[in-house]
Amino acid sequence: MMTKQEKILWVILPVVLVILFLLSSTDLIIKEKKTVIYPISIIISDTSDDYFANFRKGADKAADEYNVDVSFITLYEKGDQDQQLELVKREINDGALAVVLVPVKPEECAKKMDDMVLNCPAVIVGNLIPNEKVKSGIAPDFEEEGRKLGQAIARENSPGKPVWIFMEGLDYGYNRDIYAGAESELKNAGFTVKIYKKTMEETFRKAIEGLVYPGSEKVIIAAIDTKSLDETAEIIAGSPVYGSYVDGLYGVGSTTRLLTDLDNGVIKGLVVSDQFDAGYRSIEKAVESVHRGFQKEQIVLDSYYIRREDLRESKFEKILYPID
């Protein structure tokens, strides 16, 4: 026979257990550590992310490490700086805690952002701009990239040869800085320089086709932005005739396709920088800016001139073919 006290204990015990279960299941006793997720938007300068593969790998790596929900936003229309800034506003209004921006036209972007009121910090993949909310700029020294390109062409070719500079335009990306560096080196070395800006779909093809006419001299081509280099390499690779009139194709960029063209001999030399690192550090700095308002900082990435034989060097393999 149970005593009266034992009976009371058996009645109370289940009640206590039920209360403890309810308390624990509602986090009133055992509080689970909640992971803070940071929504950060990257607004790139193109209508697709084809040229941002390594950059995106770096951004995704940092996103995993810093608990970031990263949105990769492309433009609807090529070269539209106003639309890009409208996308910045949209992402902030939709809850982004920070934005990473790859400017379409940096000078125009800087002027317009100077008048914008941003409600969250921003990181520029490029050179710092005046807006107080822009905390970091992450990029190589673009004029130095141009100098390295010009020096390589001068070193590997005879002076006096014409050098054609292919580009989307001087206001596209940081072409103005790259061109300034390349032109200075080439002219100092005795080369003549001619600019070809892409004003229509066939600008580069028509220029190259013109070389085939009798009496035309051989030229060196330097394409100073990734899109122009990609298109020029495709034109030259598509016809064995064109290669006979182009003494060398050089450029700036490091997409998988461009590296394949370098390996296949279509491109003679490339100026490259670590795009994986650029993507990683853009997210890293964006998260830091959310946590605390750090001082403005321009992070300068190293750039390198490479030829076909450099592709197998371990140093460049890590930069050019990063593992996810």
Side-chain angles (χ1 to χ4, degrees):
M1 289 288 293
M2 288 191 295
T3 63
K4 185 176 181 181
Q5 289 83 356
E6 288 174 328
K7 288 180 180 180
I8 293 172
L9 183 63
W10 279 106
V11 171
I12 294 174
L13 186 60
V15 174
V16 171
L17 290 174
V18 169
I19 292 172
L20 288 173
F21 172 76
L22 291 173
L23 288 172
S24 64
S25 66
T26 56
D27 283 350
L28 291 176
I29 292 180
I30 304 172
K31 292 191 177 292
E32 294 182 9
K33 186 178 180 181
K34 294 182 179 179
T35 301
V36 178
I37 304 296
Y38 303 94
I40 293 175
S41 297
I42 300 174
I43 300 98
I44 63 171
S45 57
D46 213 324
T47 53
S48 75
D49 61 359
D50 293 348
Y51 301 115
F52 291 86
N54 284 354
F55 181 91
R56 185 162 191 167
K57 286 180 182 179
D60 287 343
K61 173 72 172 173
D64 288 340
E65 294 181 8
Y66 289 97
N67 301 320
V68 171
D69 179 14
V70 63
S71 298
F72 219 78
I73 314 298
T74 59
L75 300 182
Y76 305 128
E77 188 174 339
K78 171 184 170 183
D80 193 331
Q81 184 62 74
D82 287 334
Q83 181 195 99
Q84 190 181 46
L85 294 178
E86 285 301 317
L87 289 172
V88 169
K89 293 177 184 176
R90 185 196 73 181
E91 292 304 302
I92 293 172
N93 291 336
D94 286 349
L97 293 181
V99 292
V100 176
L101 180 64
V102 185
V104 177
K105 299 174 181 177
E107 291 182 10
E108 182 182 333
C109 180
K111 290 175 184 176
K112 292 182 177 178
M113 282 192 76
D114 194 30
D115 297 327
M116 286 176 64
V117 178
L118 297 178
N119 296 321
C120 74
V123 173
I124 297 293
V125 183
N127 297 331
L128 273 171
I129 60 177
N131 192 295
E132 64 176 12
K133 287 291 187 177
V134 177
K135 300 299 184 180
S136 288
I138 301 171
D141 181 328
F142 295 106
E143 192 164 338
E144 177 63 18
E145 284 196 323
R147 285 194 292 269
K148 287 182 177 178
L149 184 64
Q151 289 165 1
I153 293 171
R155 187 169 58 244
E156 297 173 9
N157 298 274
S158 302
K161 286 186 179 178
V163 179
W164 290 359
I165 307 288
F166 284 6
M167 65 175 79
E168 288 286 308
L170 282 172
D171 63 345
Y172 176 84
Y174 291 89
N175 281 354
R176 190 178 301 278
D177 295 338
I178 298 171
Y179 173 72
E183 182 198 35
S184 175
E185 293 294 333
L186 289 168
K187 287 191 172 180
N188 286 341
F191 290 82
T192 58
V193 177
K194 184 176 182 179
I195 295 180
Y196 285 84
K197 302 174 188 176
K198 186 162 186 180
T199 56
M200 59 182 182
E201 191 64 31
E202 298 292 305
T203 297
F204 302 148
R205 182 177 294 279
K206 287 185 179 298
I208 294 171
E209 285 176 350
L211 293 170
V212 182
Y213 293 110
S216 298
E217 58 182 336
K218 288 187 176 183
V219 302
I220 300 159
I221 298 177
I224 63 173
D225 58 71
T226 304
K227 293 185 74 172
S228 299
L229 180 57
D230 191 20
E231 181 183 337
T232 307
E234 184 177 7
I235 293 168
I236 293 173
S239 170
V241 176
Y242 296 152
S244 303
Y245 292 89
V246 178
D247 258 359
L249 172 61
Y250 296 81
V252 178
S254 58
T255 67
T256 301
R257 184 168 170 175
L258 294 178
L259 296 173
T260 300
D261 286 332
L262 180 65
D263 201 19
N264 291 337
V266 178
I267 296 173
K268 195 171 181 180
L270 287 173
V271 174
V272 302
S273 60
D274 192 338
Q275 291 302 300
F276 180 92
D277 191 37
Y280 184 95
R281 297 183 80 174
S282 69
I283 294 298
E284 181 181 55
K285 290 300 176 183
V287 173
E288 284 183 14
S289 69
V290 172
H291 278 299
R292 56 189 183 276
F294 56 85
Q295 295 296 314
K296 280 179 173 286
E297 179 184 18
Q298 179 69 51
I299 297 170
V300 181
L301 304 173
D302 291 332
S303 58
Y304 312 90
Y305 174 72
I306 63 169
R307 289 170 57 89
R308 180 180 183 179
E309 55 267 26
D310 299 315
L311 290 172
R312 305 294 178 260
E313 285 191 23
S314 59
K315 172 184 177 179
F316 293 120
E317 279 189 332
K318 291 177 183 177
I319 293 173
L320 303 172
Y321 304 102
I323 299 172
D324 293 356

